[in-house]
Amino acid sequence: MFLRILLFILIGGAQARSWNEKAKYTLKTIQTITGDLFDCIDMYKQPAFDHPLLKNHTLQLKPSSLPKGMKLAKSKSGSFYGFNDTCPSGTVLIHRARKQDLIESKLLRNQFRAQAIANNPTAEGSHVSPIMYGTSYPRFFTFWTIDGYEKTGCGNLECPGFVSTTNIYGPGSFIPEFSTYGGEQKYLSILISRDSSTGNWWVTYNDQLPLGYFPKELLPKMDDYADAVQMGGHVYSPLNVPSPPMGSGHPSNEGPNKAAYFIQVQAVDSSNKLTNFDTEFIKSKSDIGDYYSISDNHGSGQDKYVFAYGGAGGFTK
């Protein structure tokens, strides 16, 4: 059973490596406080380059530019993110997936299929998956597809796709800071933008760290721009099992600092500037309004466009 709350904004196959194959490229292994293992792999030997479309791809080490007016803050060390050590320079972190993780990645693809916009490439943001990771910590993850999750795509770096470029943090890592209900709020800023020089779609984490990119070769329908963005939350539970909480577990009408919420929702326009969305093209949807809800605020102040979402769950099918 898959339930979702989504905000729609309209704006204009290779196989996974076996463990033995990964081991020959591993220079070091580090661990997090959550017990996860990450292998430090030569960035030029990472799984992405097993994809046949990336055979002649040139690795881009950093974005050629950022949206006008945006500056990156100094990145925190790996210890801030819970790692017991740091991968060597020139390597990237690859979450060591268990066999169960690969099974769950296929399950995630089936779940996401329900929310996909037909025939549009898709890249995801953060989640909590006790089945996939064995803990309830929130994780930063990536998931891509170009065919509505029918045949292409996978989570994190479990198949060729996303290109990682840093030895500090990476897909599958846990998110170390949490907000307090009605108290101190922690924010996670994610930027996904097309590099005007290469056409690759870069992911920048928390205004500090360019994590890597989705190569242009894998996203042929996004050569110049994306025509839609989806944001929000989704939950999953097996049949006859009550659905879990979404967001903070509180309804959206409780507002910021209590419900989960997005702020400063913007787009990067053709002149590489951050711009507000035209609210005429914003549409919200909740699968089951009695259990999960979404509330938005078309403000134009410092927080730009804001929307809250979530609910306590408990729906059974």
Side-chain angles (χ1 to χ4, degrees):
M1 176 176 60
F2 176 72
L3 304 173
R4 58 188 172 157
I5 285 182
L6 292 175
L7 188 79
F8 296 90
I9 306 176
L10 304 180
I11 56 176
Q15 298 295 319
R17 289 177 179 173
S18 68
W19 164 242
N20 288 334
E21 290 175 315
K22 291 179 180 178
K24 66 182 180 181
Y25 298 119
T26 300
L27 302 180
K28 185 178 180 179
T29 299
I30 61 178
Q31 190 172 27
T32 71
I33 60 173
T34 60
D36 296 277
L37 295 177
F38 283 77
D39 296 312
C40 308
I41 293 180
D42 184 325
M43 66 170 57
Y44 290 92
K45 303 295 184 181
Q46 60 181 294
F49 299 123
D50 291 342
H51 199 290
L53 292 179
L54 301 182
K55 182 178 180 180
N56 297 315
H57 179 81
T58 299
L59 176 65
Q60 184 180 3
L61 296 177
K62 61 181 181 180
S64 62
S65 63
L66 294 168
K68 293 176 181 177
M70 179 180 174
K71 295 182 179 180
L72 296 181
K74 183 178 180 181
S75 177
K76 295 180 171 62
S77 66
S79 61
F80 173 80
Y81 300 110
F83 291 99
N84 67 349
D85 204 345
T86 303
C87 281
S89 177
T91 66
V92 295
L93 291 86
I94 308 290
H95 182 258
R96 186 181 292 182
R98 305 165 299 169
K99 185 176 182 180
Q100 179 68 16
D101 297 341
L102 300 177
I103 294 173
E104 293 305 323
S105 182
K106 293 180 180 178
L107 177 61
L108 283 175
R109 186 169 68 189
N110 293 335
Q111 295 168 20
F112 292 149
R113 186 179 296 127
Q115 77 177 50
I117 297 177
N119 299 319
N120 273 266
T122 306
E124 308 290 340
S126 63
H127 70 169
V128 174
S129 180
I131 297 177
M132 189 169 181
Y133 301 102
T135 72
S136 295
Y137 287 102
R139 307 279 180 151
F140 172 82
F141 85 116
T142 58
F143 202 110
W144 69 275
T145 182
I146 59 171
D147 60 3
Y149 303 95
E150 290 296 334
K151 295 181 180 179
T152 63
C154 67
N156 298 330
L157 304 179
E158 291 159 10
C159 73
F162 184 79
V163 177
S164 186
T165 58
T166 176
N167 63 334
I168 297 176
Y169 194 75
S173 302
F174 93 107
I175 298 171
E177 295 186 310
F178 316 98
S179 296
T180 301
Y181 177 77
E184 183 181 8
Q185 302 295 292
K186 298 294 184 179
Y187 298 94
L188 176 60
S189 175
I190 299 293
L191 171 70
I192 302 178
S193 61
R194 180 182 176 276
D195 189 288
S196 58
S197 296
T198 64
N200 298 322
W201 287 82
W202 273 87
V203 178
T204 302
Y205 182 88
N206 229 17
D207 293 337
Q208 299 174 1
L209 190 61
L211 293 180
Y213 58 89
F214 297 97
K216 66 177 180 180
E217 293 89 339
L218 301 186
L219 303 174
K221 296 179 182 179
M222 294 172 62
D223 276 348
D224 298 313
Y225 59 89
D227 59 13
V229 178
Q230 298 182 37
M231 302 177 212
H234 57 260
V235 295
Y236 168 80
S237 66
L239 291 176
N240 300 317
V241 175
S243 62
M246 181 188 294
S248 69
H250 292 261
S252 63
N253 59 13
E254 290 192 19
N257 300 342
K258 294 184 178 179
Y261 60 102
F262 285 71
I263 66 172
Q264 297 182 356
V265 179
Q266 295 180 287
V268 180
D269 65 16
S270 58
S271 60
N272 203 32
K273 292 181 180 179
L274 287 169
T275 184
N276 295 333
F277 287 108
D278 186 338
T279 55
E280 178 183 353
F281 297 103
I282 297 177
K283 301 178 181 179
S284 60
K285 177 180 180 179
S286 175
D287 282 350
I288 303 180
D290 290 341
Y291 294 84
Y292 307 102
S293 60
I294 180 170
S295 304
D296 61 353
N297 175 12
H298 296 184
S300 58
Q302 180 179 351
D303 289 340
K304 314 301 180 186
Y305 181 78
V306 180
F307 72 93
Y309 69 97
F315 175 75
T316 302
K317 183 175 181 181

